[in-house]
Amino acid sequence: MTEKYMKPDIDTKRIPLFIDCDTGVDDAMALLCAAKMNSFDLIGVAAVAGNVGLENTLPNTLNVLALAGRTDVPVYKGADKPLARPLVTAPHVHGLNGLGGVELDPSPRKAESEPAWDGLYNAAIQYENLVLVAVGPLTNVAKAFIKYRDLPKRLSKIVIMGGAAVGGNRTPSAEFNVITDPEAADVVFNSGIPVVMCGLDVTLKAYLTEAELDELAELGTPQAIFSYQSQQNALRYELSLGLPGICLHDPAALFFAEDESMFTARKAGIRVETRGLVTSGKTVTDLDSDKKMPYREHRVVLDIDREAFRGRLFALMRKYCIP
Ligand code: RIB
Ligand code: CA
């Protein structure tokens, strides 16, 4: 396969990156990619309950970073449940352990002593141009924003995987990360800083077909084989829904943070429904409304050049082929 979009991985000035995730199979893919991005200095990762419980997302995060050869990256333990409602997980997609049943070697590194919200704030103090990519329920981020009122404006950019201008995947009107903790998402969207929402509008288009996932495995590295094996259950589930392949929701958000050129995004107001009986967890945007919301500095990511996305993903995963 010719790589139409081989991005030159010149070692530019690295931008400090903090990832908050509920390490399931697509979070793991994002961590493997982030670990190899020359444009970012991955300075911290926090685990939150979401796809599966924190008792799995925390070790999954540590162990995937070890698989990526990145035990240099500190990992923080976050929230084990949403701010104000019970945790509802997604083992039918990610498997009971969150990694599609694949057991990784345990990382030699342990989680840091301070909790995720303190780890994120300390990172924002240390790195003035910190980029936050949050690809799980926003519980940790909201707790950090509530505890440290000056935190939002200390971030240079926040990109989330979550929400949807149209549709939903856990209910007809809500996407998993947002409906798992809508109160947390409401805090983040109301924090006074622009949020980039990489929701289902774009992430359903950021997929690998079954054949492309097979091709990924053919790279033959432990990281590629893990990516292939861990995503088999999710692939089968998504194919059963009539989707064209496995949607790599979290890598899409990470790739937006790195290079917006393969995406289309529009400015909008975004609010979260936290009380609806049918619409709870819906991210309401004013994209297609003549009545505009007062705050319209958020961006909704709507489209992606899938070829560029696939090319970037393979280019990053090929880096594990180099000893
Ligand atoms: O709706 C998809 C999102 O929910 C992804 O981040 C997936 O990992 C789950 O957290
Ligand atoms: Ca996730």
Side-chain angles (χ1 to χ4, degrees):
M1 173 183 292
T2 55
E3 294 303 337
K4 193 175 161 193
Y5 294 82
M6 287 294 285
K7 185 181 177 68
D9 271 327
I10 48 172
D11 206 344
T12 57
K13 183 169 170 29
R14 292 179 175 225
I15 299 164
L17 171 69
F18 193 103
I19 295 178
D20 190 272
C21 52
D22 58 331
T23 305
V25 299
D26 59 327
D27 308 72
M29 191 84 246
L31 290 174
L32 290 174
C33 289
K36 288 296 186 184
M37 284 182 166
N38 272 354
S39 39
F40 285 129
D41 178 7
L42 183 59
I43 56 98
V45 180
V48 67
N51 286 319
V52 289
L54 186 68
E55 68 280 4
N56 279 307
T57 60
L58 180 58
N60 289 350
T61 303
L62 285 159
N63 298 345
V64 169
L65 284 169
L67 176 68
R70 296 303 305 273
T71 50
D72 62 295
V73 179
V75 175
Y76 301 89
K77 180 178 179 181
D80 61 3
K81 61 184 182 304
L83 293 183
R85 53 186 72 203
L87 174 67
V88 180
T89 57
H92 60 293
V93 180
H94 297 268
L96 290 172
N97 75 343
L99 296 179
V102 176
E103 295 295 336
L104 287 176
D105 292 341
S107 171
R109 183 159 191 154
K110 300 299 173 221
E112 303 303 300
S113 55
E114 67 264 49
W117 33 95
D118 293 348
L120 172 57
Y121 184 65
N122 294 336
I125 296 286
Q126 187 178 352
Y127 298 93
E128 62 179 355
N129 57 338
L130 184 66
V131 170
L132 172 62
V133 173
V135 294
L138 290 165
T139 318
N140 291 345
V141 179
K143 287 169 85 87
F145 283 11
I146 291 164
K147 183 172 181 179
Y148 301 106
R149 293 292 176 180
D150 60 321
L151 175 54
K153 296 215 185 306
R154 287 183 179 276
L155 298 173
S156 73
K157 186 189 291 187
I158 173 170
V159 181
I160 75 164
M161 192 284 136
V166 176
N169 60 0
R170 222 192 83 208
T171 73
S173 60
E175 177 277 330
F176 178 85
N177 284 336
V178 172
I179 193 173
T180 297
D181 198 341
E183 287 74 18
D186 194 37
V187 166
V188 174
F189 281 113
N190 278 319
S191 62
I193 61 165
V195 174
V196 178
M197 181 171 88
C198 284
L200 298 175
D201 316 283
V202 65
T203 65
L204 289 176
K205 302 171 188 172
Y207 62 85
L208 286 188
T209 64
E210 186 169 10
E212 289 165 343
L213 197 57
D214 292 347
E215 195 176 331
L216 183 65
E218 286 161 15
L219 293 179
T221 60
Q223 297 81 11
I225 292 165
F226 162 76
S227 301
Y228 172 82
Q229 291 177 340
S230 63
Q231 296 187 93
Q232 287 303 304
N233 183 69
L235 173 68
R236 299 280 157 249
Y237 174 72
E238 294 182 25
L239 290 174
S240 74
L241 297 177
L243 292 170
I246 182 162
C247 301
L248 297 180
H249 305 280
D250 296 346
L254 173 70
F255 286 19
F256 186 94
E258 182 194 38
D259 175 8
E260 300 186 11
S261 67
M262 66 175 86
F263 296 89
T264 303
R266 285 175 54 199
K267 271 198 170 184
I270 305 174
R271 292 297 307 277
V272 181
E273 175 57 71
T274 58
R275 300 196 189 92
L277 189 61
V278 177
T279 57
S280 183
K282 179 170 180 51
T283 46
V284 180
T285 80
D286 63 5
L287 278 174
D288 300 316
S289 165
D290 55 3
K291 292 296 178 196
K292 300 301 184 187
M293 295 176 183
Y295 182 85
R296 304 200 71 246
E297 295 307 307
H298 299 311
R299 283 192 286 169
V300 180
V301 187
L302 294 165
D303 206 356
I304 190 170
D305 177 336
R306 194 188 80 88
E307 183 66 16
F309 172 76
R310 189 191 52 75
R312 184 64 182 141
L313 186 93
F314 272 76
L316 289 164
M317 291 303 288
R318 280 208 174 90
K319 287 189 168 188
Y320 289 102
C321 302
I322 305 160

